[in-house]
Amino acid sequence: MNLNIALLAGDGIGPEVVDQAVKVVNAVAHKFNHTVNWTSALTGAAAIDAVGEPYPDETHEVCMAADAVLFGAIGHPRFDHDPKATVRPEQGLLKMRKKLGLYANVRPTFTFPSLIENSPLKRERIEGTDLIILRELTGGIYFGERGRKDEGNTAFDTCTYTREEIQRLAKLGFEMAMGRRKKLCCVDKANVLESSRLWRETVQDMEKDFPAVEVSYEFVDAVAMRLVQWPSSYDVIITENLFGDILTDEASVISGSMGLMPSSSIGIHTSLFEPIHGSYPQAAGKDIANPLATVLSAAMMFEDGFGLKEEAELIRTVVNKSLAEGIVTEDLAGKGNKAYKTSEVGDWLAANI
């Protein structure tokens, strides 16, 4: 099979962790007789520095021509600390989502048997956790009208959703639930927000099309508590952009490290696969960043992007082996244990494949 993949390494540790995923993808492709065609492109702060734009037209053309996009990370502290900066790396991410039609972010949360003690939560609270959060990506407050008035002393951001946007995400959530434990939770704030009432109304109207799925509706503040208290009670969660942004980061620490969780963004034109962690600029260039979330994102790319389940399972098996044998970076090594470099972990994974 010919696999045409756009490679957007981005900023900070992005290039380092993406390099390890490339090693793994190439090893899998060699083993299963696939041909991988990589095309690299700039995004984020790296693109701003090069061409003054965080998501250049040239990068968009590369993504549109690809079967899938493997993405590293975006962001740089010099923009984070300047509230008056008019061009920001994160603008490139929003622009990319909109132009590629990346409407659904898929965030799995699960535990690793060998790392369950690394979690800040007790074993009995998290054992057996296996959930997916589906976050709507191209609507809501991040894309609504915004601005200042009263000479800059009053600011506003508008949250807007259409029924069609909600139906599109909810349909994907129902379908995922059908292939899992047949439980779907719609997270909103319908006791306060009109946009949330539209979410609840729309999902309720869709229940009749998926009678086998048990549907629940919970307020976002209650879910924020239950994710800590009883995460294994959830199967598939669907929610809007802002709530999803917060809940997915909260859920990510259940596994014991943000450096372990992969994600995908399902799109109209193509799909994008990326680790959930940020650019971690403090570690950039030091060869210490954990590459496993990016490698597991590549596994999602094989399975969900190309329909190659056996290849994806091989990657996950080798990642679990690396964790069990302690072939990990310093964030997971533990006191007194050897910490491997980012590149060494990538080499080990590729060799084992």
Side-chain angles (χ1 to χ4, degrees):
M1 187 173 181
N2 277 318
L3 311 177
N4 299 306
I5 306 172
L7 194 64
L8 275 56
D11 306 321
I13 62 171
E16 295 166 68
V17 293
V18 161
D19 279 351
Q20 312 321 309
V22 168
K23 293 175 186 176
V24 169
V25 170
N26 286 340
V28 170
H30 179 74
K31 185 178 182 70
F32 289 88
N33 296 315
H34 301 305
T35 300
V36 182
N37 304 305
W38 298 101
T39 306
S40 298
L42 292 171
T43 190
I48 293 173
D49 291 343
V51 299
E53 160 66 46
Y55 183 62
D57 290 342
E58 294 82 358
T59 298
H60 181 63
E61 289 170 11
V62 167
C63 293
M64 286 291 287
D67 301 316
V69 180
L70 186 60
F71 180 73
I74 215 168
H76 195 283
R78 77 171 185 271
F79 296 95
D80 297 339
H81 301 147
D82 183 4
K84 294 184 178 179
T86 56
V87 180
R88 297 176 175 278
E90 293 76 14
Q91 291 170 345
L93 195 55
L94 296 178
K95 186 177 178 182
M96 177 167 58
R97 288 173 182 167
K98 203 70 174 178
K99 291 185 75 172
L100 292 177
L102 303 175
Y103 66 90
N105 182 232
V106 183
R107 288 264 194 112
T109 296
F110 47 86
T111 56
F112 298 86
S114 59
L115 292 178
I116 204 159
E117 302 301 336
N118 287 35
S119 175
L121 302 180
K122 293 178 180 178
R123 173 188 287 269
E124 59 266 27
R125 291 199 178 274
I126 63 170
E127 211 157 30
T129 295
D130 178 14
L131 64 93
I132 289 177
I133 301 179
L134 263 179
R135 167 192 170 192
E136 201 288 323
L137 267 189
T138 56
I141 203 165
Y142 291 171
F143 290 92
E145 184 182 350
R146 69 192 63 185
R148 297 272 186 114
K149 55 186 180 180
D150 299 333
E151 298 180 342
N153 294 309
T154 301
F156 63 92
D157 297 277
T158 309
C159 182
T160 303
Y161 269 106
T162 66
R163 192 179 299 273
E164 182 184 12
E165 287 173 323
I166 300 166
Q167 288 172 333
R168 182 171 61 181
L169 184 90
K171 181 175 183 291
L172 189 59
F174 275 110
E175 290 170 349
M176 284 189 172
M178 285 294 293
R180 291 169 53 89
R181 302 198 307 275
K182 296 183 172 60
K183 292 171 63 179
L184 181 76
C185 179
C186 177
V187 178
D188 58 37
K189 194 64 177 168
N191 58 336
V192 178
L193 300 176
E194 192 62 36
S195 57
S196 281
R197 285 189 275 273
L198 180 61
W199 268 82
R200 188 168 291 209
E201 174 189 313
T202 301
V203 176
Q204 286 174 341
D205 288 344
M206 297 176 70
E207 285 188 39
K208 64 182 183 299
D209 299 323
F210 300 90
V213 178
E214 176 189 339
V215 185
S216 61
Y217 299 86
E218 296 185 34
F219 297 143
V220 63
D221 42 352
V223 175
M225 289 188 289
R226 283 190 64 196
L227 273 176
V228 174
Q229 296 171 318
W230 193 21
S232 62
S233 66
Y234 292 110
D235 183 16
V236 178
I237 292 173
I238 58 171
T239 192
E240 61 101 71
N241 207 340
L242 175 61
F243 297 160
D245 193 4
I246 297 166
L247 292 176
T248 50
D249 274 4
E250 181 191 11
S252 70
V253 302
I254 291 171
S255 69
S257 171
M258 281 188 73
L260 291 171
M261 289 294 107
S263 78
S264 66
S265 295
I266 307 301
I268 297 168
H269 303 295
T270 190
S271 293
L272 178 144
F273 301 85
E274 62 175 316
I276 69 164
H277 59 67
S279 59
Y280 192 17
Q282 302 90 332
K286 296 180 181 178
D287 205 16
I288 60 172
N290 186 344
L292 295 183
T294 312
V295 171
L296 289 169
S297 297
M300 289 184 76
M301 179 178 69
F302 273 108
E303 183 166 4
D304 301 335
F306 302 125
L308 301 172
K309 189 168 184 177
E310 188 179 353
E311 287 84 336
E313 279 303 314
L314 175 59
I315 294 173
R316 295 184 187 117
T317 297
V318 172
V319 166
N320 279 319
K321 185 181 177 186
S322 76
L323 292 170
E325 296 187 15
I327 314 299
V328 294
T329 45
E330 63 179 32
D331 59 312
L332 297 177
K335 192 174 181 180
N337 297 323
K338 179 180 178 179
Y340 289 79
K341 293 182 178 180
T342 308
S343 55
E344 290 175 332
V345 173
D347 290 341
W348 188 93
L349 293 169
N352 272 262
I353 286 167

